[in-house]
């Protein structure tokens, strides 16, 4: 929005997009903040302002003091185009008083000088102290969830609290998602004489969660001790990992369980840090009330100090568990490394035995090959002898039959065949054909 469309009365919204720092701030929100906190930050009577101006470029009236708003606004109008070197001093009415300038005067001054919107944040650091006390916070606490099917018995939950005390010492408290123990404590206040004070309510909101954290951390520590005991009782030798007397031994899954427990501890530590910050803020508030003697907060201050000490003790317990978990997971990993080494040795030994068995089988196959080679030579020799003697045997068999007679003289030989000889020839030929046919059919079926 251009600066000409918005009056200086809406600073810093009138700076518009031309100002180099406007893009970093929500100008409408800064304008609303000045208007919202005007009664706290600035005087309302236009005759109560106290603004001093040093003009280092002027020759006369180098110092001016303005006691009225109209005079100061007129001065700003007259010097709107001034290029003098000036210093504006705005006093505060006491340590907890308002700034001695009205809202219109400060808006016109900052608008004319085209100050950065960041100055609004600086202004909000001053102003009157209100008589009412307000505090709000989110408190982390642990509670048993009662779900047996899940791992762990505890859940981390949170309580939102807003507390307001007005000058008449009446207080209003809004509690979001109260715990069961807190509800019981608030019910007890109904049956007590008188109304609970602001600090009694703070004690009720803070006391129960701290005690629950102690039980939760006890449960986490018990889980750690189980893991540590299992790791320490695991027997390890050159043959690998052996179970202890209870039959338990570490596995790779145990490293995952330890890491889950470590993450749980870091989450607890984060919640305890947040709670410690809240307790410290309330302790500062109680200390301030005690110093100003606005209420009897001495007992509550002592309670908060004890609470802060107890939270610090629980934080140290969690840090101790984390350090011991680091040592335990290192032990488990060492044990698993030994198991891997033992497995590697066992595999090496098995491979060595297998290699020796393979070597023995190779030697046996070599001997069998040699024997087969020798048998082949014998068969070859027998085959050669059969080639030599088989024709003679066939001829002698044929001549030994009565189917053939040989007659002759010194100059002539004659062969005489009996009639049954041709029967022998025909039967032999048939059997030979049948044999070759059967062999051929067998070969085709095998192929």
């Amino acid at each position: 929005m251009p600066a000409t469309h918005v009056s200086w009365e809406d600073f810093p919204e009138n700076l518009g997009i031309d100002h180099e720092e406007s893009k970093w701030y929500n100008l409408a929100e800064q304008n609303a903040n000045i208007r919202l906190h005007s009664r706290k930050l600035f005087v309302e009577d236009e005759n109560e302002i106290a603004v001093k101006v040093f003009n280092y470029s002027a020759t006369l009236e180098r110092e001016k003091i303005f006691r009225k708003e109209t005079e100061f606004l007129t001065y700003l109008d007259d010097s709107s185009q001034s290029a003098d070197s000036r210093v504006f001093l705005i006093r505060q009415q006491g340590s907890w008083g308002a700034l001695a300038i009205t809202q219109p005067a400060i808006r016109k001054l900052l608008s004319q000088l085209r100050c950065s919107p960041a100055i609004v944040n600086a202004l909000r650091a001053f102003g009157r102290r209100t008589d009412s006390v307000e505090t709000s916070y989110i408190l982390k606490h642990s509670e048993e969830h009662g779900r047996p099917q899940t791992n762990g018995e505890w859940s981390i939950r949170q309580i939102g609290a807003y507390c307001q005390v007005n000058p008449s010492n009446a207080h209003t408290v809004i509690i979001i998602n109260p715990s069961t123990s807190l509800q019981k404590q608030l019910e007890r206040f109904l049956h007590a004489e008188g109304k609970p004070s602001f600090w009694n309510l703070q004690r009720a909101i803070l006391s129960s969660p701290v005690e629950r954290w102690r039980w939760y951390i006890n449960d986490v520590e018990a889980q750690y001790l189980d893991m540590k005991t299992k790791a320490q009782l695991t027997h390890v030798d050159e043959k690998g990992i052996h179970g202890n007397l209870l039959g338990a031994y570490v596995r790779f899954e145990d490293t995952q369980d330890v890491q889950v427990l470590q993450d749980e501890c870091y989450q607890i530590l984060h919640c305890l840090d947040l709670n410690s910050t809240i307790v410290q803020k309330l302790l500062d508030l109680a200390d301030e009330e005690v110093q100003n003697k606005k209420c009897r907060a001495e007992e509550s201050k002592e309670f908060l100090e004890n609470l802060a000490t107890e939270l610090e003790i629980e934080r140290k317990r969690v840090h101790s568990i984390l350090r011991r978990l680091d040592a335990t997971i290192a032990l488990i990993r060492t044990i698993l490394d030994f198991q891997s080494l033992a497995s590697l040795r066992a595999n090496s030994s098995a491979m060595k035995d297998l290699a020796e068995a393979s070597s023995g089988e190779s030697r046996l196959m070599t001997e069998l090959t040699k024997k087969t080679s020798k048998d082949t030579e014998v068969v070859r020799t027998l085959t050669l002898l059969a080639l030599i003697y088989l024709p003679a045997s066939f001829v002698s068999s044929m001549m030994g039959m009565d189917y053939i007679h040989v007659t002759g003289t010194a100059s002539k030989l004659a062969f005489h065949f009996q009639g049954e000889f041709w029967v022998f020839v025909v039967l032999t030929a048939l059997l030979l054909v049948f044999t070759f046919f059967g062999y051929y059919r067998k070969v085709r079926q095998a192929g």
Side-chain angles (χ1 to χ4, degrees), residues 87-136:
V87 174
F88 294 85
L89 302 181
I90 303 173
R91 296 182 58 188
Q92 184 178 10
Q93 295 179 336
S95 300
W96 294 101
L99 297 175
I101 191 170
T102 59
Q103 181 189 169
I106 190 68
R107 282 185 184 270
K108 188 161 189 176
L109 172 63
L110 299 179
S111 178
Q112 186 183 102
L113 299 177
R114 294 188 62 79
C115 295
S116 168
I119 196 171
V120 178
N121 298 330
L123 288 174
R124 292 181 61 186
F126 298 90
R128 296 184 184 93
R129 178 183 176 184
T130 58
D131 292 330
S132 62
V133 177
E134 290 183 274
T135 180
S136 62

Side-chain angles (χ1 to χ4, degrees), residues 134-186:
E134 290 183 274
T135 180
S136 62
Y137 51 84
I138 295 177
L139 189 70
K140 300 288 185 178
H141 71 102
S142 58
E143 199 165 59
E144 293 175 293
H145 52 65
R147 298 190 295 269
Q149 69 274 14
T150 59
N151 294 329
E153 301 177 358
W154 298 86
S155 293
I156 296 179
R157 298 173 182 173
Q158 58 187 11
I159 297 175
Y162 169 80
C163 309
Q164 182 188 68
V165 182
N166 57 30
S168 62
N169 204 28
H171 46 264
T172 303
V173 179
I174 300 175
I175 301 176
I176 303 172
N177 191 31
S179 64
T180 304
S181 57
L182 177 57
Q183 294 182 55
K184 293 180 180 179
Q185 180 66 28
L186 295 176

